[in-house]
Amino acid sequence: MIRRFLFLFTTILVCFVSNEMAYSQADISMSTHWFDREGYNPASIARTDYIYLFSSAREQWTNVPGGPEVLNVHASEYIQDLHSAFGLSLVSDNIGFTQTINPMLTYAFRISNERDWSFSLGLSAGVFSHSIDGTLYNPVTVNDPILFYNLDKVISPDANIGAEFQSQSFIVGLSTTHLFSIGKPDDLFLNTNQRYGYIIYQNSNIDLFNYNIGLQAVNRNNLTVMEVNGLIQFKHQTGLSSGSQEIFDLGLTYRSSQQMTFLLGINISPNFRIGYAYDQNFIPGFTQNPTNEIILEYRIPSKAATCIQCRGQESNWYH
């Protein structure tokens, strides 16, 4: 098992530093990915001792015809006896006359000393369906040879791999997506390989609130986007042995692609949370077209946490 662990981790590093030239389909852009990293790092589903359900809907560039509309749903469960997590996800991404459907199955294996740290490796596998309906074009120049006028669909295999380290104060992850695209020539239906690296600092030692600070780098081809995030989660003391409970959170994100995001979340119950994200672009021509995103998160506790480290996470959504 250790050899398999090392082989998969080495594969992640090799894919992370590769730099293939392709410019077509990019990963979905979700402002709330800080709460659910499964879309780009399958290792992150190793959340202990409960079933986790996540869904988000995003309308990008409001009032722009054909602007991206994304639906993302994900479910996962960690089984302590197997030190393993199992999940499934579905992404639907509509942009103009194109549509992408991306169902995936995910597996993650977790090792831990139960007190101080854990390390997980994950693999997602599924299919990537990308369709273009060129019959919907209404071009200014009829029969423009640059445009694609046909109705076509391509379904191809898809896979993501990732690794994630967690301690009481830090989360560090590396991952790469769309492995089957590495080395392939660029075309309209290619799902481009992308590489992710991130580090998150989290602090839950203050009585009134928890806070988290994250930094992420995303690379595809010759393009790298940096993102920094800060989140404050206000909480109240329950007086119970389970400790405090978070009640609402406020966050702010800035991307080097000239985009800022305001985040708001409310804990309806200890296991049910709703959230909202508002993006504002500072790119000339798009400043009047913000983006809206809503999320729903639900946890179904299976049993009392069976590892010491897990108990400290029950009152903290952000892990």
Side-chain angles (χ1 to χ4, degrees), residues 34-234:
W34 292 98
F35 303 108
D36 182 59
R37 302 176 296 279
E38 184 273 343
Y40 54 85
N41 191 348
S44 68
I45 71 168
R47 296 177 170 90
T48 52
D49 286 295
Y50 55 82
I51 299 173
Y52 179 69
L53 306 174
F54 179 91
S55 64
S56 61
R58 176 180 175 90
E59 181 185 12
Q60 190 168 333
W61 303 337
T62 305
N63 299 323
V64 174
E69 296 180 351
V70 182
L71 177 64
N72 176 32
V73 294
H74 154 230
S76 62
E77 180 179 12
Y78 182 81
I79 300 176
Q80 180 66 28
D81 292 341
L82 300 177
H83 304 286
S84 299
F86 303 87
L88 55 89
S89 63
L90 176 66
V91 172
S92 172
D93 186 12
N94 298 297
I95 306 176
F97 303 142
T98 69
Q99 181 183 46
T100 297
I101 303 293
N102 191 199
M104 302 284 276
L105 297 176
T106 301
Y107 172 77
F109 184 81
R110 179 178 185 267
I111 59 174
S112 170
N113 73 345
E114 295 191 350
R115 291 181 178 273
D116 302 313
W117 60 268
S118 67
F119 181 72
S120 304
L121 287 175
L123 170 67
S124 292
V127 296
F128 186 92
S129 172
H130 188 59
S131 61
I132 299 177
D133 189 356
T135 63
L136 299 177
Y137 279 129
N138 185 22
V140 175
T141 302
V142 180
N143 296 324
D144 188 332
I146 296 179
L147 298 180
F148 183 86
Y149 291 96
N150 300 321
L151 174 62
D152 204 355
K153 176 188 290 187
V154 170
I155 300 177
S156 58
D158 195 19
N160 309 328
I161 56 175
E164 189 171 271
F165 171 85
Q166 288 199 22
S167 69
Q168 292 292 339
S169 299
F170 290 96
I171 300 174
V172 182
L174 284 175
S175 63
T176 181
T177 60
H178 310 309
L179 299 180
F180 291 101
S181 297
I182 297 176
K184 288 187 177 181
D186 186 23
D187 61 47
L188 290 172
F189 298 96
L190 184 71
N191 46 336
T192 306
N193 170 250
Q194 300 193 50
R195 295 157 291 278
Y196 296 80
Y198 55 87
I199 181 170
I200 301 169
Y201 171 76
Q202 52 187 9
N203 188 310
S204 57
N205 297 324
I206 302 174
D207 290 338
L208 296 179
F209 59 86
N210 301 331
Y211 70 90
N212 311 278
I213 301 172
L215 177 65
Q216 183 189 69
V218 183
N219 171 264
R220 62 184 180 100
N221 312 313
N222 57 350
L223 175 64
T224 299
V225 175
M226 302 296 296
E227 182 174 330
V228 60
N229 167 267
L231 188 75
I232 298 178
Q233 303 149 305
F234 295 91

